[in-house]
Amino acid sequence: MIWISRDECVNTETATRKEWLDTNGIGGYSSSTIINCHTRKYHGLLAASLKEPRGRFILLSKVEASLVGNGREFFLSTNKYPGVYHPTGHQFVEGFEQGLFPSITYRIGDAVIKKNMMMIYGQNTVLLCYELLEGRVKPTLRIRPMLAYRDIHSLTHENMFLRPKTYPERNGCKIHPYEGMPPLYMGTNRTSEFHPGPKWMSNYEYMVERERGFDYQEDLFCPGMFEVPLHKGKPVIFAASVEKLGNLEKLRKGEVQRREAAFAECKGRSKNDRMLKYVSDQFLIRNASDFSSVVAGYHWFGEWGRDTMIALPGLTFHAGRRSFGEEVLAAYAGLERDGLLPNYLDQSSEHLAYNSVDASLWFFWAVQEYLKTGGNIGFVMEAIYPALRSIVSAHLDGRVPLCGVAENGLLYAGNEHTQLTWMDAQAYGRPVTPRHGAAVEINALWYNALRFFLELAKGNDELTSRAEQSADALAANFVERFWNHADNCLSDVVNEHGQDHSIRPNQVFAASLPYSMLDAERMRAVIKIVQAHLLTPYGLRTLSPSAPAYRPFYEGDADARDSAYHQGMVWPWLAGHFGEALLRQAEDKKGARAFLRKYFKPILRSFPEDFGIASVPEIYTGNPPHLPGGCIAQAWSVGEAIRLNALLGGK
């Protein structure tokens, strides 16, 4: 359990920087700040993942809740409007708690009220439970639902197309605001009254969007107000769903039991280890196509092939979810085309984007991790090996778009107009980090893929012979072509311009992957340079601070932020491969493990209470104090933290 005190909750400056997240296993989520004052357009109580229309939509943005007693009304909600916070319900917050689900405790006089928020697994349904824990009064709870009904990336404004009429349901109502969108069912578990009173509320402000250079004002629609008595021992459950509501108490009880069982299955050396594994389930989904997959990050990322393969071992194989991991591997194996896996699965359509060179190469590593953790070789040979063989064949045959294997074994990819590696940001209409040619991690991954393919291959046919020749050629030429003698480490890219001597973390993979082309001496040299230039307690910087292009801060509009994205920002997911490389070449492995546990404590043991609570964000700034940025919860950040914890579990 993570507890955030009243002092931090009543201060809007700190409280609005702390965000909670709850998910439903099908791509939907519920999220806001710890005082439920939205600061992003992505915040909402019911962000539904729909099949028709396909995509993710904020249906129920929030509720304006209040308690009425002794002739007075006390609002629990807080909103930011131009120049003012109104109402100021955060003044009543006693604390925020993140356990199996997020909860907020309020104190008004002698009354103590606890509210928790919970998505139902496998459904686009959110439950808000209000419970009177202490107090002599018997207040009436008022709930005013505020509807957005728009795509998660958009904003809504008062318009003439919304249909305001509500239709009675048992202890609730139904509203069908727009043609082509599903209706919303809302209701309570106890006898309540719904008073229709359609009204637009204007100019909600989302200050993080303003900071990010986006539109930040929105209008929300309120269809009316629920009133229900709130008594001790009789919690009130308010539900909003795209499905007709049933027994809400039974629904909530079943979801609580599911979460308790899920947490019990999370094994670890500490509660933090277990909690990290528990929250990692937020990224695992069955999407609108009933496809087992991984959400790359909340709130705005969808399903990305590269991110999936990097995150999958930690989220599944090292977290006790092997069967789900098998489903993901098999599903992506079926999507292989011309030696590539899709880098992006569009959540609003069936479109697949095959625009990365490394997603298919990380696929090999994910399978290696599966087998390393006790996976079934029979499953691999039957369901996965044909795709692995096809990937190798396509590369060696020259059928992979914009890729080619040279006579010296090096794998070249892209041109000056493309971004095919993980450092793929563009700003002001051009690539920020042009890495066309032979990128160091692409060649490390390619070599690892070839050797693993040869490990699995049975018999000696033409393809295995060619694969072995290519692997031998690459191993013979890799160090000569990539070694940066000036800095005694690996170059980042080799192309027609020569060697790119930028000190970046990509060279770590040449020392961390199961099959390496480096001897122990050069591994140590790489680790030494990375440790000196890139290492932070939150992961690795993407560029040495000594480089003229180094950008230490992540701020400004989209172009300004993207310009810094891979030019100095710290990425937590890189800590996993740095740790593995360090352990691989360490003579004192026990001492190395102790160092890694202590040094990476901020992302391994101490859950952040800023930004995304109980998760690991996408990035941190390059300079101390290393402020979090990007997505509040990133799949490969969490997955690699779990995997690194597993690596550090030995003696």
Side-chain angles (χ1 to χ4, degrees), residues 428-450:
Y428 306 105
R430 61 182 184 273
V432 177
T433 53
R435 303 186 69 236
H436 63 283
V440 64
E441 83 282 9
I442 299 303
N443 280 272
L445 285 162
W446 172 231
Y447 180 77
N448 180 66
L450 287 171

Side-chain angles (χ1 to χ4, degrees), residues 306-329:
R306 176 193 298 120
D307 298 56
T308 293
M309 295 307 138
I310 294 171
L312 193 67
L315 300 182
T316 59
F317 311 140
H318 291 280
R321 304 185 184 104
R322 182 176 296 148
S323 61
F324 192 93
E326 289 176 342
E327 292 179 29
V328 175
L329 289 177

Side-chain angles (χ1 to χ4, degrees), residues 1-4 20-22 96-104 114 116-118 259-260 263 274-276 278-279 282 607 613-614:
M1 184 186 76
I2 296 173
W3 173 258
I4 298 176
W20 58 266
L21 171 71
D22 203 66
F96 174 90
E97 176 185 326
Q98 176 68 59
L100 299 182
F101 40 80
S103 302
I104 304 173
K114 189 170 188 177
N116 57 60
M117 298 73 74
M118 181 188 304
R259 295 183 184 217
E260 290 173 342
F263 184 75
R274 297 179 66 194
M275 190 64 174
L276 190 61
Y278 172 75
V279 300
Q282 294 175 333
F607 281 122
I613 296 168

Side-chain angles (χ1 to χ4, degrees), residues 1-2 268-277 537-538 593-609 614-616 640-650:
M1 184 186 76
I2 296 173
R269 289 176 293 127
S270 69
K271 287 184 178 180
N272 275 2
D273 291 348
R274 297 179 66 194
M275 190 64 174
L276 190 61
K277 290 180 179 179
Y538 298 89
R593 286 191 174 94
F595 164 75
L596 290 168
R597 286 192 196 101
K598 183 177 180 180
Y599 195 80
F600 285 133
K601 183 178 178 180
I603 57 174
L604 295 180
R605 299 285 190 276
S606 302
F607 281 122
E609 294 181 3
S615 195
V616 187
E640 280 296 271
I642 293 172
R643 193 177 72 89
L644 182 54
N645 262 330
L647 286 170
L648 300 181

Side-chain angles (χ1 to χ4, degrees), residues 172-438:
C173 68
K174 178 184 81 170
I175 184 171
H176 200 169
Y178 295 105
E179 185 71 33
M181 292 289 289
L184 187 67
Y185 295 88
M186 297 176 289
T188 61
N189 63 320
R190 303 194 181 279
T191 302
S192 61
E193 292 185 41
F194 178 73
H195 306 283
K199 181 180 181 181
W200 281 95
M201 301 294 290
S202 302
N203 295 327
Y204 287 85
E205 291 192 340
Y206 307 139
M207 299 314 293
V208 172
E209 301 304 326
R210 181 179 181 178
E211 294 171 7
R212 288 164 54 85
F214 296 121
D215 292 340
Y216 62 95
Q217 290 185 328
E218 178 166 53
D219 304 334
L220 299 175
F221 176 73
C222 178
M225 179 179 69
F226 289 85
E227 283 192 328
V228 57
L230 183 62
H231 297 155
K232 279 195 291 186
K234 295 182 178 181
V236 171
I237 302 171
F238 172 81
S241 177
V242 298
E243 304 173 21
K244 198 173 180 66
L245 300 177
N247 187 322
L248 299 184
E249 293 176 359
K250 182 178 179 180
L251 190 65
R252 184 177 186 278
K253 181 179 179 180
E255 179 61 20
V256 170
Q257 291 175 343
R258 187 197 69 80
R259 295 183 184 217
E260 290 173 342
F263 184 75
E265 291 174 0
C266 295
K267 309 301 180 185
R269 289 176 293 127
S270 69
K271 287 184 178 180
N272 275 2
D273 291 348
R274 297 179 66 194
M275 190 64 174
L276 190 61
K277 290 180 179 179
Y278 172 75
V279 300
S280 69
D281 184 56
Q282 294 175 333
F283 304 100
L284 305 180
I285 67 165
R286 285 184 173 83
N287 64 21
S289 300
D290 201 28
F291 186 102
S292 298
S293 191
V294 174
V295 171
Y298 291 97
H299 305 88
W300 51 82
F301 280 137
E303 302 161 60
W304 293 79
R306 176 193 298 120
D307 298 56
T308 293
M309 295 307 138
I310 294 171
L312 193 67
L315 300 182
T316 59
F317 311 140
H318 291 280
R321 304 185 184 104
R322 182 176 296 148
S323 61
F324 192 93
E326 289 176 342
E327 292 179 29
V328 175
L329 289 177
Y332 272 86
L335 298 178
E336 184 270 331
R337 301 287 185 275
D338 295 324
L340 299 176
L341 294 186
N343 189 42
Y344 178 61
L345 284 67
D346 191 346
Q347 292 191 319
S348 61
S349 70
E350 295 285 351
H351 176 69
L352 303 177
Y354 290 83
N355 61 336
S356 78
V357 67
D358 55 348
S360 60
L361 302 181
W362 279 112
F363 185 48
F364 286 79
W365 176 78
V367 178
Q368 288 172 298
E369 285 292 309
Y370 168 72
L371 292 174
K372 178 181 174 182
T373 55
N376 187 335
I377 186 64
F379 163 77
V380 171
M381 298 308 296
E382 179 180 349
I384 307 301
Y385 177 73
L388 301 180
R389 184 180 178 89
S390 181
I391 291 167
V392 170
S393 176
H395 279 83
L396 294 179
D397 291 345
R399 292 184 284 110
V400 180
L402 295 175
C403 292
V405 179
E407 289 185 7
N408 60 10
L410 269 64
L411 179 60
Y412 288 80
N415 55 48
E416 60 186 11
H417 304 294
T418 60
Q419 294 284 71
L420 302 180
T421 74
W422 80 278
M423 291 188 168
D424 55 1
Q426 297 205 31
Y428 306 105
R430 61 182 184 273
V432 177
T433 53
R435 303 186 69 236
H436 63 283

